[in-house]
mmCIF file of all heavy atoms in Angstrom:
data_model
loop_
_atom_site.group_PDB
_atom_site.id
_atom_site.type_symbol
_atom_site.label_atom_id
_atom_site.label_comp_id
_atom_site.label_asym_id
_atom_site.label_seq_id
_atom_site.Cartn_x
_atom_site.Cartn_y
_atom_site.Cartn_z
ATOM 1 N N LEU V 6 88.562 -129.586 -104.779
ATOM 2 C CA LEU V 6 89.208 -130.605 -105.613
ATOM 3 C C LEU V 6 88.570 -131.983 -105.415
ATOM 4 O O LEU V 6 88.393 -132.735 -106.370
ATOM 5 C CB LEU V 6 90.706 -130.660 -105.319
ATOM 6 C CG LEU V 6 91.513 -129.439 -105.755
ATOM 7 C CD1 LEU V 6 92.953 -129.549 -105.283
ATOM 8 C CD2 LEU V 6 91.453 -129.266 -107.264
ATOM 9 N N ARG V 13 83.469 -135.987 -111.395
ATOM 10 C CA ARG V 13 83.977 -136.619 -112.619
ATOM 11 C C ARG V 13 83.768 -138.124 -112.584
ATOM 12 O O ARG V 13 83.365 -138.734 -113.569
ATOM 13 C CB ARG V 13 85.465 -136.276 -112.794
ATOM 14 C CG ARG V 13 86.068 -136.822 -114.036
ATOM 15 C CD ARG V 13 85.461 -136.160 -115.273
ATOM 16 N NE ARG V 13 85.625 -137.053 -116.390
ATOM 17 C CZ ARG V 13 84.735 -137.251 -117.337
ATOM 18 N NH1 ARG V 13 83.603 -136.606 -117.322
ATOM 19 N NH2 ARG V 13 84.950 -138.085 -118.300
ATOM 20 N N PRO V 27 70.162 -150.687 -122.887
ATOM 21 C CA PRO V 27 70.282 -150.600 -124.346
ATOM 22 C C PRO V 27 69.146 -149.890 -125.074
ATOM 23 O O PRO V 27 69.350 -149.354 -126.157
ATOM 24 C CB PRO V 27 70.366 -152.059 -124.786
ATOM 25 C CG PRO V 27 69.668 -152.819 -123.702
ATOM 26 C CD PRO V 27 69.932 -152.051 -122.441
ATOM 27 N N SER V 41 59.768 -148.252 -105.630
ATOM 28 C CA SER V 41 59.126 -148.754 -104.402
ATOM 29 C C SER V 41 57.615 -148.777 -104.552
ATOM 30 O O SER V 41 56.891 -148.499 -103.601
ATOM 31 C CB SER V 41 59.528 -147.881 -103.216
ATOM 32 O OG SER V 41 60.905 -147.966 -102.985
ATOM 33 N N PHE V 45 58.460 -143.822 -108.287
ATOM 34 C CA PHE V 45 59.694 -143.068 -108.126
ATOM 35 C C PHE V 45 60.804 -143.981 -107.635
ATOM 36 O O PHE V 45 60.536 -144.984 -106.973
ATOM 37 C CB PHE V 45 59.522 -141.940 -107.098
ATOM 38 C CG PHE V 45 58.533 -140.894 -107.509
ATOM 39 C CD1 PHE V 45 57.204 -140.988 -107.132
ATOM 40 C CD2 PHE V 45 58.938 -139.808 -108.274
ATOM 41 C CE1 PHE V 45 56.284 -140.027 -107.511
ATOM 42 C CE2 PHE V 45 58.030 -138.835 -108.653
ATOM 43 C CZ PHE V 45 56.698 -138.948 -108.276
ATOM 44 N N LEU V 46 62.040 -143.607 -107.940
ATOM 45 C CA LEU V 46 63.200 -144.290 -107.362
ATOM 46 C C LEU V 46 63.713 -143.460 -106.194
ATOM 47 O O LEU V 46 64.003 -142.267 -106.351
ATOM 48 C CB LEU V 46 64.333 -144.417 -108.388
ATOM 49 C CG LEU V 46 64.113 -145.303 -109.602
ATOM 50 C CD1 LEU V 46 65.335 -145.250 -110.519
ATOM 51 C CD2 LEU V 46 63.816 -146.731 -109.200
ATOM 52 N N HIS V 49 67.814 -145.505 -102.201
ATOM 53 C CA HIS V 49 68.002 -146.950 -102.009
ATOM 54 C C HIS V 49 67.612 -147.723 -103.275
ATOM 55 O O HIS V 49 68.329 -148.631 -103.694
ATOM 56 C CB HIS V 49 67.195 -147.440 -100.802
ATOM 57 C CG HIS V 49 67.285 -148.912 -100.604
ATOM 58 N ND1 HIS V 49 68.395 -149.521 -100.066
ATOM 59 C CD2 HIS V 49 66.419 -149.900 -100.915
ATOM 60 C CE1 HIS V 49 68.201 -150.833 -100.041
ATOM 61 N NE2 HIS V 49 67.006 -151.084 -100.541
ATOM 62 N N PHE V 51 67.621 -146.647 -106.311
ATOM 63 C CA PHE V 51 68.628 -146.343 -107.323
ATOM 64 C C PHE V 51 69.873 -147.196 -107.106
ATOM 65 O O PHE V 51 70.402 -147.798 -108.041
ATOM 66 C CB PHE V 51 68.964 -144.845 -107.269
ATOM 67 C CG PHE V 51 69.984 -144.403 -108.270
ATOM 68 C CD1 PHE V 51 69.673 -144.323 -109.621
ATOM 69 C CD2 PHE V 51 71.263 -144.050 -107.862
ATOM 70 C CE1 PHE V 51 70.622 -143.894 -110.554
ATOM 71 C CE2 PHE V 51 72.206 -143.624 -108.785
ATOM 72 C CZ PHE V 51 71.889 -143.550 -110.130
ATOM 73 N N MET V 54 69.153 -150.757 -108.146
ATOM 74 C CA MET V 54 69.112 -150.883 -109.602
ATOM 75 C C MET V 54 70.523 -150.894 -110.181
ATOM 76 O O MET V 54 70.856 -151.722 -111.028
ATOM 77 C CB MET V 54 68.298 -149.758 -110.228
ATOM 78 C CG MET V 54 68.204 -149.869 -111.740
ATOM 79 S SD MET V 54 67.401 -148.458 -112.500
ATOM 80 C CE MET V 54 68.604 -147.190 -112.160
ATOM 81 N N GLU V 68 75.537 -140.572 -104.531
ATOM 82 C CA GLU V 68 74.854 -139.310 -104.208
ATOM 83 C C GLU V 68 74.950 -138.313 -105.352
ATOM 84 O O GLU V 68 73.966 -137.659 -105.702
ATOM 85 C CB GLU V 68 75.426 -138.708 -102.929
ATOM 86 C CG GLU V 68 75.008 -139.457 -101.685
ATOM 87 C CD GLU V 68 75.559 -138.825 -100.419
ATOM 88 O OE1 GLU V 68 75.749 -137.586 -100.403
ATOM 89 O OE2 GLU V 68 75.786 -139.561 -99.451
ATOM 90 N N ALA V 69 76.138 -138.197 -105.943
ATOM 91 C CA ALA V 69 76.323 -137.243 -107.045
ATOM 92 C C ALA V 69 75.524 -137.669 -108.274
ATOM 93 O O ALA V 69 74.897 -136.830 -108.933
ATOM 94 C CB ALA V 69 77.808 -137.116 -107.385
ATOM 95 N N PHE V 71 72.800 -139.602 -108.340
ATOM 96 C CA PHE V 71 71.387 -139.443 -108.009
ATOM 97 C C PHE V 71 70.979 -137.982 -108.153
ATOM 98 O O PHE V 71 69.957 -137.663 -108.762
ATOM 99 C CB PHE V 71 71.125 -139.952 -106.591
ATOM 100 C CG PHE V 71 69.677 -140.032 -106.226
ATOM 101 C CD1 PHE V 71 68.940 -141.179 -106.485
ATOM 102 C CD2 PHE V 71 69.035 -138.970 -105.600
ATOM 103 C CE1 PHE V 71 67.602 -141.263 -106.138
ATOM 104 C CE2 PHE V 71 67.700 -139.038 -105.246
ATOM 105 C CZ PHE V 71 66.978 -140.192 -105.517
ATOM 106 N N ALA V 73 72.324 -135.718 -109.973
ATOM 107 C CA ALA V 73 72.351 -135.299 -111.379
ATOM 108 C C ALA V 73 71.047 -135.649 -112.092
ATOM 109 O O ALA V 73 70.623 -134.925 -112.995
ATOM 110 C CB ALA V 73 73.528 -135.956 -112.096
ATOM 111 N N ASN V 78 65.376 -132.005 -106.938
ATOM 112 C CA ASN V 78 65.938 -132.189 -105.595
ATOM 113 C C ASN V 78 64.909 -132.576 -104.533
ATOM 114 O O ASN V 78 64.983 -132.117 -103.405
ATOM 115 C CB ASN V 78 66.690 -130.928 -105.156
ATOM 116 C CG ASN V 78 67.871 -130.634 -106.033
ATOM 117 O OD1 ASN V 78 68.643 -131.531 -106.353
ATOM 118 N ND2 ASN V 78 68.003 -129.387 -106.455
ATOM 119 N N GLY V 80 64.507 -135.753 -103.605
ATOM 120 C CA GLY V 80 64.927 -137.012 -102.995
ATOM 121 C C GLY V 80 64.385 -138.238 -103.681
ATOM 122 O O GLY V 80 64.475 -139.343 -103.134
ATOM 123 N N TYR V 84 60.063 -141.437 -113.378
ATOM 124 C CA TYR V 84 60.414 -142.106 -114.626
ATOM 125 C C TYR V 84 60.745 -141.074 -115.697
ATOM 126 O O TYR V 84 61.690 -141.253 -116.467
ATOM 127 C CB TYR V 84 59.296 -143.047 -115.108
ATOM 128 C CG TYR V 84 59.663 -143.677 -116.426
ATOM 129 C CD1 TYR V 84 60.629 -144.673 -116.485
ATOM 130 C CD2 TYR V 84 59.088 -143.244 -117.617
ATOM 131 C CE1 TYR V 84 61.018 -145.227 -117.699
ATOM 132 C CE2 TYR V 84 59.464 -143.799 -118.827
ATOM 133 C CZ TYR V 84 60.425 -144.798 -118.860
ATOM 134 O OH TYR V 84 60.809 -145.337 -120.058
ATOM 135 N N LYS V 88 64.108 -140.994 -117.777
ATOM 136 C CA LYS V 88 64.088 -141.089 -119.237
ATOM 137 C C LYS V 88 64.797 -139.890 -119.865
ATOM 138 O O LYS V 88 65.583 -140.056 -120.802
ATOM 139 C CB LYS V 88 62.642 -141.182 -119.734
ATOM 140 C CG LYS V 88 62.513 -141.320 -121.233
ATOM 141 C CD LYS V 88 61.050 -141.452 -121.617
ATOM 142 C CE LYS V 88 60.862 -141.366 -123.103
ATOM 143 N NZ LYS V 88 59.435 -141.409 -123.470
ATOM 144 N N GLN V 92 68.073 -140.159 -122.220
ATOM 145 C CA GLN V 92 68.070 -139.620 -123.574
ATOM 146 C C GLN V 92 69.045 -138.456 -123.744
ATOM 147 O O GLN V 92 69.236 -137.963 -124.843
ATOM 148 C CB GLN V 92 66.658 -139.161 -123.957
ATOM 149 C CG GLN V 92 65.683 -140.295 -124.088
ATOM 150 C CD GLN V 92 64.260 -139.833 -124.323
ATOM 151 O OE1 GLN V 92 63.848 -138.762 -123.874
ATOM 152 N NE2 GLN V 92 63.493 -140.649 -125.016
ATOM 153 N N ILE V 95 68.744 -133.876 -120.036
ATOM 154 C CA ILE V 95 68.951 -133.081 -118.825
ATOM 155 C C ILE V 95 70.218 -132.268 -119.012
ATOM 156 O O ILE V 95 71.254 -132.792 -119.392
ATOM 157 C CB ILE V 95 69.034 -133.981 -117.579
ATOM 158 C CG1 ILE V 95 67.666 -134.597 -117.294
ATOM 159 C CG2 ILE V 95 69.539 -133.205 -116.374
ATOM 160 C CD1 ILE V 95 67.613 -135.494 -116.097
ATOM 161 N N GLY V 97 73.591 -130.591 -118.757
ATOM 162 C CA GLY V 97 74.805 -131.054 -118.098
ATOM 163 C C GLY V 97 75.031 -132.542 -118.238
ATOM 164 O O GLY V 97 76.075 -133.039 -117.870
ATOM 165 N N TYR V 102 75.561 -142.307 -125.189
ATOM 166 C CA TYR V 102 76.572 -143.219 -125.700
ATOM 167 C C TYR V 102 75.952 -144.133 -126.728
ATOM 168 O O TYR V 102 74.847 -144.597 -126.569
ATOM 169 C CB TYR V 102 77.162 -144.065 -124.563
ATOM 170 C CG TYR V 102 77.969 -143.251 -123.600
ATOM 171 C CD1 TYR V 102 77.367 -142.556 -122.568
ATOM 172 C CD2 TYR V 102 79.331 -143.136 -123.753
ATOM 173 C CE1 TYR V 102 78.096 -141.787 -121.698
ATOM 174 C CE2 TYR V 102 80.083 -142.372 -122.881
ATOM 175 C CZ TYR V 102 79.468 -141.708 -121.864
ATOM 176 O OH TYR V 102 80.195 -140.950 -121.004
#
Side-chain angles (χ1 to χ4, degrees):
L6 292 174
R13 182 67 204 141
S41 296
F45 296 92
L46 294 178
H49 177 76
F51 180 72
M54 181 186 67
E68 287 181 30
F71 189 89
N78 297 315
Y84 178 73
K88 182 178 171 184
Q92 293 174 330
I95 291 180
Y102 292 83

